Amino acid sequence: MENKHSITHVILTGGVGSRLWPLSRKSQPKQYLDIFDGKSLFEMTVDRNRNIADKVMVVGNIDNCHLSRKVLEKSNTEYIDIIESTPRNTAAAIAFAAFAADPDDILIITPSDHIIDDMENYETAIEEAVEKASQGYIVTFGIVPTKPETGYGYIERKGDDVISFREKPNQVSARDFIAKGNFLWNSGMFCFKASVLLEELKAFHPEVYEKSKLVWESNTNGNLDLALSLDIPSISIDYAVMERSKKIKVVSSQFAWSDLGSFESVYDYLVSIGHTVDENGNMVIGTDNYTAFIGVKDTIFVYTATANLILKKEFSQDVKSVYNALARDNSDLLN
């Protein structure tokens, strides 16, 4: 892709994947699980952006930076490693990446745990975003919705202008959004010049800007200081900048996309690549042991060595409550 600006692919890889417990643990978050065609989501993220960007940057955390390093070393990929000592949400993570870049560099920010198909449409969307970013806009990628999904946030838009960002809706609101026709799923992907993002962060959330700057300036080989980091407000980039800046544009994107944020979306993806389900739509994940389902349908059995999960597909969003209950008990089953 020809562009006069240097393009850096920034991979955010700090999440724990609580909605995919027990597959996803603190020691092995969902983006590093090799259950997707023999590759991890992190590896697929690196691969799909390899020809788009000039440089790679990873913003991860102290607990799993060794996992991303293993993937990148395997493919001989040079990268800039930013290692957070404690999670401070996406505003700080993205600020660190912008401070680490040259002011005119264009950053493409992607989470590390998404599935994206249809590379032609993906690259078209990236090209459009880079063009807008080079003109000084902060670009968000909105996905043309295929159904009234309640697990995603939405972007209301008119053309490429953002009217509003909406939180994850209930089923009635989701149907209403789809019927209106001008709502897109919020992908959590962004594109901008490093300097533009920092200017807007400084204007709208100066505390995150100043404290992130202090942390970055005191880094040691990309490792960030814990005591200083704890001073940074934990806030998402959406709240800190995207919902307040007048420089936001949205690229309406046609590529197939899922954030695999629930077992229902994992189920749908695995079915699409040929994973076995029985005649009642029941699925086994994590074991080849013979497993029989009687009297149930659309049920997922998740096997791991230390914990199993059985759930109806439509209750996938409730897995986080199990995770939270274990967290309150400081259970080793989260590690």
Side-chain angles (χ1 to χ4, degrees):
M1 185 183 297
E2 289 183 22
N3 193 278
K4 59 182 181 292
H5 298 279
S6 176
I7 298 174
T8 300
H9 175 214
V10 179
I11 307 173
L12 304 181
T13 180
V16 296
S18 56
R19 289 182 180 86
L20 292 189
W21 181 90
L23 279 184
S24 183
R25 309 289 182 102
K26 289 178 181 175
S27 60
Q28 190 81 359
K30 68 173 178 176
Q31 59 265 36
Y32 300 108
L33 300 171
D34 289 335
I35 62 169
F36 307 101
D37 269 352
K39 282 189 173 182
S40 68
L41 295 172
F42 181 88
E43 190 172 358
M44 291 160 75
T45 302
V46 173
D47 287 349
R48 90 170 62 94
N49 293 283
R50 195 176 294 283
N51 298 326
I52 290 167
D54 307 301
K55 289 182 274 190
V56 177
M57 194 181 287
V58 176
V59 186
N61 63 48
I62 195 75
D63 294 326
N64 62 36
C65 60
H66 65 287
L67 297 172
S68 52
R69 186 179 303 121
K70 186 176 170 185
V71 172
L72 290 158
E73 285 180 351
K74 186 174 82 172
S75 59
N76 290 317
T77 303
E78 286 187 22
Y79 72 108
I80 299 157
D81 201 7
I82 299 174
I83 303 168
E84 293 183 291
S85 52
T86 183
R88 302 318 286 158
N89 215 317
T90 52
I94 288 171
F96 297 142
F99 283 125
D102 292 329
D104 275 346
D105 283 359
I106 287 178
L107 309 186
I108 298 168
I109 312 285
T110 75
S112 59
D113 55 1
H114 291 183
I115 285 283
I116 289 174
D117 288 320
D118 186 356
M119 283 307 295
E120 191 173 335
N121 276 336
Y122 179 71
E123 290 185 8
T124 298
I126 293 285
E127 281 184 33
E128 185 181 337
V130 167
E131 179 59 32
K132 291 181 190 302
S134 67
Q135 296 166 16
Y137 293 109
I138 295 174
V139 184
T140 183
F141 293 80
I143 310 297
V144 176
T146 56
K147 60 180 179 178
E149 172 63 60
T150 59
Y152 301 147
Y154 283 74
I155 298 167
E156 183 183 9
R157 54 100 182 210
K158 183 175 182 180
D160 66 355
D161 290 323
V162 174
I163 299 171
S164 68
F165 289 89
R166 303 293 185 94
E167 296 289 340
K168 295 173 183 178
N170 60 29
Q171 195 66 45
V172 174
S173 295
R175 287 199 195 98
D176 187 40
F177 292 170
I178 300 300
K180 285 182 176 171
N182 66 326
F183 282 79
L184 304 168
W185 288 336
N186 188 350
S187 71
M189 293 170 50
F190 309 102
C191 181
F192 46 73
K193 270 190 202 173
S195 58
V196 173
L197 185 281
L198 291 174
E199 285 163 13
E200 295 297 272
L201 181 62
K202 188 176 185 179
F204 292 110
H205 212 304
E207 188 181 5
V208 170
Y209 173 87
E210 295 294 350
K211 291 184 173 176
S212 298
K213 187 169 188 277
L214 188 64
V215 169
W216 177 249
E217 287 174 347
S218 65
N219 84 85
T220 306
N221 298 321
N223 289 272
L224 306 183
D225 182 81
L226 176 59
L228 291 175
S229 296
L230 287 168
D231 275 347
I232 304 171
S234 180
I235 184 171
S236 73
I237 196 69
D238 296 71
Y239 288 140
V241 174
M242 305 304 291
E243 295 183 8
R244 303 165 78 179
S245 172
K246 302 291 186 234
K247 295 183 177 180
I248 309 299
K249 294 288 185 183
V250 62
V251 170
S252 176
S253 308
Q254 298 280 352
F255 53 84
W257 171 89
S258 170
D259 74 347
L260 295 188
S262 70
F263 276 110
E264 182 171 17
S265 53
V266 170
Y267 177 103
D268 291 343
Y269 176 70
L270 291 177
V271 166
S272 77
I273 62 170
H275 193 91
T276 304
V277 291
D278 71 10
E279 66 274 14
N280 292 310
N282 300 308
M283 175 184 285
V284 177
I285 298 175
T287 180
D288 293 327
N289 289 349
Y290 176 77
T291 305
F293 295 86
I294 298 174
V296 294
K297 63 180 183 178
D298 296 331
T299 296
I300 306 169
F301 173 66
V302 183
Y303 171 87
T304 74
T306 55
N308 299 328
L309 176 70
I310 301 163
L311 70 154
K312 296 280 284 185
K313 180 159 65 89
E314 64 265 31
F315 291 100
S316 292
Q317 293 293 341
D318 294 344
V319 173
K320 192 168 186 181
S321 63
V322 178
Y323 183 96
N324 289 340
L326 291 168
R328 284 192 295 273
D329 294 338
N330 291 319
S331 173
D332 285 342
L333 293 173
L334 300 185
N335 297 326

